[in-house]
Amino acid sequence: MTEQMVIRRPVMVVGMLLAGRLVRQSTLVTAEELTAIGLEPSLFNAGSVAVYECPCLRVPVTLGVIRTRILLPSAWITWSDAKLQSVLAHETAHARRRDTWVMVLAEVNRAVYWFHPLAWWLKRQLADLAESACDDEASDLSGDRTNSARHLLEVAAQVSSSQGRLIPIGVSMARQSNVETRIDAILDFTRPLSQRISRVAAMGIFTVAVALIVLFAAMKPNAQAGEN
């Protein structure tokens, strides 16, 4: 087992342990608390997606494979109703699309095929597509693209100011790698919303990419054997 593979696997394990620890340190935000500030229960689908407050976080994160949990930072209580609605709409879209499943699978694939650039590209690409799709859903729900872009920028800025890192197996609107591109897309009023890639299409990309990675990985030792 190579050093790179040894490194990638502990990263996954640590990410899973960290996710579990954050959930244990969190407290449930009841439907009554959310509706008390004017949010509709249907927004966060409380029957299947639980919303928690986590004092260890500064940005919202969606976690879970069997049961999806949205973790909000303690500061959520100070947010405006519009910002909280935007954040919950975005993170609930992740839950509905099962993006946490896709990210876990992509992370496992990257840990196994760490040596192949396509495995690293696939994880980044799927994350970008998921965030863009959820940006569109949140903007569509609010009906105000300008506010949606501002809320995204405010949340992403919290990662920079705290020099924080996101959990590898979680998904969050605070992901910074392509914030400028996402904001440009939200503010592109000539582009219709909800035209981003679907979860089914994302899984199709994942399946095809993994097949190619496995094929190339199998060809590599054969090519080396031929040279010998």
Side-chain angles (χ1 to χ4, degrees):
M1 185 179 295
T2 65
E3 182 180 352
Q4 285 282 358
M5 186 178 295
V6 171
I7 292 173
R8 289 307 311 168
R9 289 181 178 175
V11 167
M12 278 195 60
V13 173
V14 170
M16 295 175 67
L17 293 175
L18 177 58
R21 181 181 179 184
L22 290 176
V23 171
R24 289 192 298 272
Q25 293 177 336
S26 303
T27 56
L28 181 67
V29 178
T30 65
E32 290 74 16
E33 289 181 89
L34 294 173
T35 53
I37 57 176
L39 293 177
E40 293 295 329
S42 58
L43 172 64
F44 50 89
N45 191 18
S48 59
V49 181
V51 181
Y52 287 77
E53 177 183 321
C54 181
C56 301
L57 294 176
R58 296 193 64 177
V59 295
V61 176
T62 300
L63 300 170
V65 175
I66 297 176
R67 185 184 181 191
T68 305
R69 295 176 174 86
I70 297 173
L71 306 186
L72 298 176
S74 298
W76 76 269
I77 197 68
T78 66
W79 293 349
S80 66
D81 291 357
K83 181 176 179 178
L84 181 57
Q85 183 181 36
S86 180
V87 169
L88 285 177
H90 184 104
E91 299 301 328
T92 302
H94 277 309
R96 185 172 56 256
R97 289 167 47 86
R98 299 292 189 272
D99 286 333
T100 51
W101 271 98
V102 177
M103 289 299 100
V104 168
L105 291 174
E107 187 65 30
V108 170
N109 177 70
R110 187 169 65 170
V112 174
Y113 297 104
W114 60 267
F115 53 85
H116 202 289
L118 187 57
W120 295 78
W121 172 88
L122 178 62
K123 174 74 184 297
R124 292 191 300 269
Q125 187 69 11
L126 290 175
D128 289 347
L129 292 172
E131 294 305 329
S132 296
C134 295
D135 287 342
D136 274 6
E137 290 202 30
S139 298
D140 191 31
L141 180 66
S142 70
D144 189 333
R145 295 195 187 199
T146 303
N147 275 339
S148 294
R150 187 179 74 251
H151 297 150
L152 170 59
L153 185 60
E154 289 174 356
V155 172
Q158 288 298 312
V159 179
S160 297
S161 62
S162 62
Q163 295 183 339
R165 298 188 65 178
L166 301 179
I167 302 172
I169 60 174
V171 288
S172 170
M173 68 182 293
R175 189 170 179 272
Q176 286 187 297
S177 63
N178 63 340
V179 167
E180 291 185 5
T181 301
R182 289 165 59 190
I183 290 177
D184 287 343
I186 293 173
L187 296 178
D188 181 3
F189 291 90
T190 64
R191 180 183 66 83
L193 292 171
S194 301
Q195 299 299 313
R196 298 291 187 171
I197 192 165
S198 68
R199 176 172 59 87
V200 174
M203 286 303 299
I205 292 174
F206 176 82
T207 302
V208 172
V210 170
L212 289 173
I213 293 170
V214 173
L215 176 62
F216 292 148
M219 292 173 60
K220 185 175 180 180
N222 291 335
Q224 292 176 345
E227 292 177 358
N228 295 333

